[in-house]
Amino acid sequence: MLNDNRAAIREKAATLETAFRNAGALHVESDALLPADTLLDLYGEDIRARAYVTQDPVLGERMLRPDFTVPIVERHMSEGAEPARYCYNGSVWRKQDAGSQKASEFIQVGFELFDRTDPAVADAEVFALFREILPDDLTVGTGDIGILRAAIAGLTTSDKRRAALLRHSWRPTRFRQLLDRFGGKTAPIASRVDLIKAAKTDGIDTLIKSSGKFLGLRSKAEVHARIESLINDVNEPSLPSGELAVIEAILNLDCTAIQAVKKLHELQSDLPAIAGAIAVFETRLAALSKHGVDVDTLAFEGSYGLTSMEYYDGFVFGFQRGEQVIASGGRYDALTSVLGNGRDIAAVGGVIRPDLLLGVA
């Protein structure tokens, strides 16, 4: 990238930061090298493929900052007052696939709002702020992961199966595989059937003993627990077809926000657990209207954000030019609970890529 492009990007970033400051945000900084264990606990070992990791002889394993949200949340949960608005402007680093033309280092300018008073109103404030400072030629998309999560929580199945579906909800292929298996649409894996049959016939301890020497990292107790879990799972009744249909209908929503509300109300009779999430959705739309957003034309997708917004658990939004996501954001209440050492708070925010906004990435 040429120096004049970097200068233009920094200038645009400063302009965006000023807009966030004018909206009441306090500018905050973050270390570029973050403790790797925190990020690994959040995202698992998968993040090593996307982030730069190094070993410091004093500090231990460190990770170049892949985004600002985690350190901002940690800072707020340890010392911040409520409500609070923060903004930031700086580089993040992410590995790219071989041959990719995407930048490994780029600037993010972001805004985060911590306020438990009325989350739906806070969602509307953040979205309206981004809409105000971004150009009108961008395509706008919205979704609400909270509706899908509420539907999963209301399924007639075991806590373990609900937890598995929630954990994999941002992995569409795996999520649908689990839905098909739990719904009885796919046949059990043959090797797993044989394993369960042998465990029931001979007993788990006998099966483990006859399998030979342990070669992996799991202990005997862990293997025993896993086989026991598989036996319990195979005895689980299939998910009701009506509830499965509701999940599919939510994921397939692709319409305006107002139309989505109507369709969700129609689904509510088959899965009453989504009623609360629908009410939040309606409150948010009313708040958006007060900010001048035309909710009659606002695009909504039931699966929006499920492939790229891993820690979001509620309202999500994005502004695109073609296939490029210029800005994105959403609600991440659960993340504050994980990082808050027993405390949690409603939180929503978003980021803008000034290089993509300028078209000089």
Side-chain angles (χ1 to χ4, degrees):
M1 184 179 292
L2 299 175
N3 288 335
D4 58 339
N5 281 347
R6 289 199 293 267
I9 292 168
R10 286 195 296 269
E11 183 178 354
K12 174 57 72 173
T15 300
L16 295 169
E17 180 190 331
T18 298
F20 288 148
R21 285 177 182 261
N22 290 340
L26 171 69
H27 176 79
V28 289
E29 299 284 349
S30 163
D31 291 337
L33 279 176
L34 303 175
D37 55 356
T38 300
L39 295 160
L40 288 167
D41 287 344
L42 281 172
Y43 303 118
E45 291 293 325
D46 289 351
I47 196 173
R48 292 185 186 277
R50 296 175 289 160
Y52 292 95
V53 183
T54 187
Q55 185 73 32
D56 184 273
V58 176
L59 299 175
E61 196 170 35
R62 301 275 116 174
M63 193 173 290
L64 269 176
R65 182 176 60 216
D67 67 33
F68 278 88
T69 303
V70 169
I72 298 301
V73 170
E74 287 186 311
R75 173 173 174 165
H76 175 80
M77 299 306 288
S78 65
E79 59 186 57
E82 300 173 17
R85 293 166 176 80
Y86 303 109
C87 66
Y88 47 85
N89 174 7
S91 291
V92 297
W93 294 265
R94 295 179 188 174
K95 290 180 184 176
Q96 305 297 341
D97 295 331
S100 171
Q101 299 300 309
K102 294 181 179 179
S104 297
E105 176 185 354
F106 50 89
I107 290 176
Q108 279 187 345
V109 185
F111 179 93
E112 311 292 338
L113 171 56
F114 296 82
D115 188 352
R116 68 179 80 242
T117 307
D118 191 332
V121 170
D123 291 344
E125 176 187 333
V126 173
F127 177 84
L129 175 60
F130 275 66
R131 176 175 168 268
E132 177 184 346
I133 67 177
L134 289 169
D136 294 334
D137 65 339
L138 301 181
T139 301
V140 182
T142 68
D144 191 340
I145 296 172
I147 295 170
L148 177 62
R149 292 175 64 86
I152 293 171
L155 291 174
T156 307
T157 189
S158 64
D159 290 342
K160 180 186 173 185
R161 284 188 167 185
R162 282 192 290 266
L165 288 168
L166 284 171
R167 186 169 62 252
H168 293 288
S169 59
W170 59 275
R171 296 183 175 101
T173 301
R174 177 58 176 157
F175 182 74
R176 290 186 180 277
Q177 288 173 344
L178 288 175
L179 277 181
D180 288 344
R181 180 158 69 86
F182 296 163
K185 293 182 178 181
T186 56
I189 300 171
S191 59
R192 183 172 294 180
V193 172
D194 293 340
L195 175 69
I196 292 171
K197 183 178 179 180
K200 285 183 175 181
T201 302
D202 303 326
I204 297 176
D205 289 330
T206 300
L207 176 63
I208 293 174
K209 187 176 181 180
S210 65
S211 297
K213 185 178 179 180
F214 276 82
L215 299 176
L217 297 176
R218 288 185 177 181
S219 66
K220 179 180 178 181
E222 288 173 324
V223 173
H224 189 289
R226 175 58 177 161
I227 296 174
E228 195 170 56
S229 174
L230 291 174
I231 293 173
N232 292 334
D233 186 72
V234 80
N235 293 325
E236 280 280 336
S238 297
L239 286 170
S241 59
E243 294 181 359
L244 276 175
V246 171
I247 298 289
E248 290 289 347
I250 290 172
L251 291 173
N252 290 331
L253 283 173
D254 186 2
C255 52
T256 67
I258 288 296
Q259 290 170 335
V261 169
K262 181 180 179 181
K263 292 179 180 181
L264 287 167
H265 275 300
E266 293 171 354
L267 297 171
Q268 184 180 328
S269 59
D270 291 319
L271 196 56
I274 65 175
I278 297 173
V280 172
F281 187 13
E282 291 178 304
T283 302
R284 183 188 307 120
L285 293 183
L288 285 168
S289 293
K290 290 181 179 179
H291 281 281
V293 177
D294 184 1
V295 297
D296 290 320
T297 60
L298 182 65
F300 181 91
E301 294 180 33
S303 60
Y304 193 87
L306 288 177
T307 58
S308 58
M309 300 179 173
E310 297 167 24
Y311 51 67
Y312 291 127
D313 52 25
F315 176 56
V316 286
F317 63 86
F319 293 79
Q320 294 184 216
R321 182 182 291 125
E323 295 299 314
Q324 283 192 325
V325 180
I326 309 298
S328 62
R331 175 158 294 281
Y332 51 90
D333 296 351
L335 183 63
T336 70
S337 180
V338 172
L339 299 174
N341 296 318
R343 296 177 58 234
D344 59 18
I345 184 174
V348 59
V351 297
I352 301 174
R353 286 276 301 269
D355 57 337
L356 298 182
L357 187 56
L358 291 172
V360 294

